[in-house]
Amino acid sequence: MKKILFTVLLSFMLIACADKATSQAELKLVNTIKLKIAEPSGITAYKKHLYIVSDQNGGIYKTTLTGEVVKKIKTNYKDLEGITIIPSSKKIAIVNEAKRSLIYLNLKGKFLNKHKIKGEQETTNSGLEGICFDSSIKRLFAVNEKAPKQLLALNLKGEIKNTYPLNFSKDVSGICFDENSNCLWIISDESSAIYQISKKGKLLKKHKINVEKGEGIVIYKNHMYVVSDSQNTLYVFEMVN
């Protein structure tokens, strides 16, 4: 009975996502901010702050919503491409691209545990590019950059529960969950575009953006924040109805 109820609830949530997508907001660029962060490659938001991970030095930077660094959290990892926070446990989750690792830290950067995310990857530089957390179903979603381009539905131990192909962009470089629409958003560096998708990887809407090498994306308080790796820049979009 519990399995049936969960299936019905999940189906309803996916339908709600598709319905809202038809009237989803447009994106209006409202701010461009130069960051004092080397190669920002992933971004998330938590309690009125942004958390940005550096691909170059493996540091996690806690910033204001306007990109001012208020704290640097050191880690022992490099080649980090995605970051999210689990609010209920106050854990930071980061992903290492080359080794396909899911790493948990506390908010001070102390190592907690690590899991291997299985899956295909053509080269060390074509693997995991982003991660996000859906509190409503307690599930992680990650993306594989290319060869193959995939959406991965994971449990909290990094075990793959489902994979979905993503065939509408040249690559995939970041992902975030949108509580308002109950959908996912992904960004493509090579296509210079942002896509709204369902939790099964179905394309709902595409937005072209003038951002070079966009690597990270997050939505917070009706604004979308995008980081550019090569430009060390934070782009702020207002989601206009």
Side-chain angles (χ1 to χ4, degrees):
M1 178 60 74
K2 289 183 179 180
K3 185 175 181 180
I4 294 173
L5 288 174
F6 176 78
T7 302
V8 171
L9 178 60
L10 183 59
S11 298
F12 174 78
M13 293 169 73
L14 290 172
I15 292 170
C17 171
D19 288 343
K20 289 188 178 183
T22 59
S23 59
Q24 184 54 264
E26 296 298 323
L27 303 180
K28 178 184 177 183
L29 182 64
V30 294
N31 208 354
T32 303
I33 302 162
K34 200 71 176 177
L35 295 171
K36 295 179 180 179
I37 300 171
E39 295 185 23
S41 57
I43 184 171
T44 194
Y46 180 65
K47 290 189 174 181
K48 299 180 181 180
H49 287 87
L50 302 174
Y51 287 74
I52 301 171
V53 67
S54 167
D55 182 24
Q56 184 182 94
N57 59 36
I60 298 171
Y61 295 80
K62 179 181 178 181
T63 79
T64 65
L65 296 178
T66 53
E68 298 170 18
V69 177
V70 297
K71 183 179 181 180
K72 180 183 177 181
I73 302 169
K74 293 182 179 180
T75 78
N76 295 321
Y77 303 96
K78 292 189 177 180
D79 196 24
L80 300 178
E81 295 289 347
I83 181 170
T84 193
I85 291 177
I86 316 296
S88 58
S89 59
K90 297 181 181 178
K91 291 180 181 178
I92 297 173
I94 51 179
V95 288
N96 173 284
E97 180 177 21
K99 296 183 178 179
R100 298 189 68 85
S101 299
L102 168 64
I103 303 156
Y104 285 109
L105 313 170
N106 68 14
L107 292 177
K108 293 182 179 180
K110 181 181 178 182
F111 172 80
L112 299 174
N113 50 52
K114 180 168 65 172
H115 305 282
K116 180 78 171 182
I117 299 177
K118 296 180 181 179
E120 300 176 65
Q121 185 170 323
E122 190 173 86
T123 68
T124 57
N125 197 37
S126 64
L128 300 173
E129 279 286 324
I131 192 165
C132 65
F133 181 66
D134 178 356
S135 298
S136 64
I137 56 175
K138 294 180 173 59
R139 179 132 309 173
L140 293 163
F141 288 93
V143 284
N144 212 66
E145 181 183 8
K146 58 172 65 173
K149 296 189 295 289
Q150 287 181 325
L151 172 67
L152 311 176
L154 312 169
N155 65 15
L156 294 178
K157 293 182 179 180
E159 297 168 337
I160 298 175
K161 295 303 178 180
N162 285 294
T163 62
Y164 306 99
L166 301 173
N167 298 320
F168 41 79
S169 62
K170 295 178 182 178
D171 76 338
V172 186
S173 52
I175 185 171
C176 71
F177 174 65
D178 179 8
E179 291 183 356
N180 291 328
S181 66
N182 194 41
C183 294
L184 302 168
W185 293 75
I186 62 172
I187 185 169
S188 169
D189 155 25
E190 294 181 14
S191 297
S192 298
I194 292 171
Y195 305 84
Q196 185 184 25
I197 65 172
S198 75
K199 294 178 188 178
K200 291 187 175 182
K202 178 183 177 183
L203 177 62
L204 303 172
K205 195 161 188 178
K206 175 183 177 180
H207 300 265
K208 288 292 291 182
I209 55 170
N210 187 23
V211 173
E212 181 181 325
K213 203 166 174 55
E215 288 280 323
I217 180 173
V218 72
I219 293 172
Y220 187 73
K221 302 292 186 183
N222 205 42
H223 283 80
M224 179 179 288
Y225 299 84
V226 171
V227 286
S228 164
D229 182 310
S230 62
Q231 301 300 303
N232 300 80
T233 299
L234 174 68
Y235 296 84
V236 185
F237 296 88
E238 183 179 358
M239 303 178 76
V240 183
N241 291 320

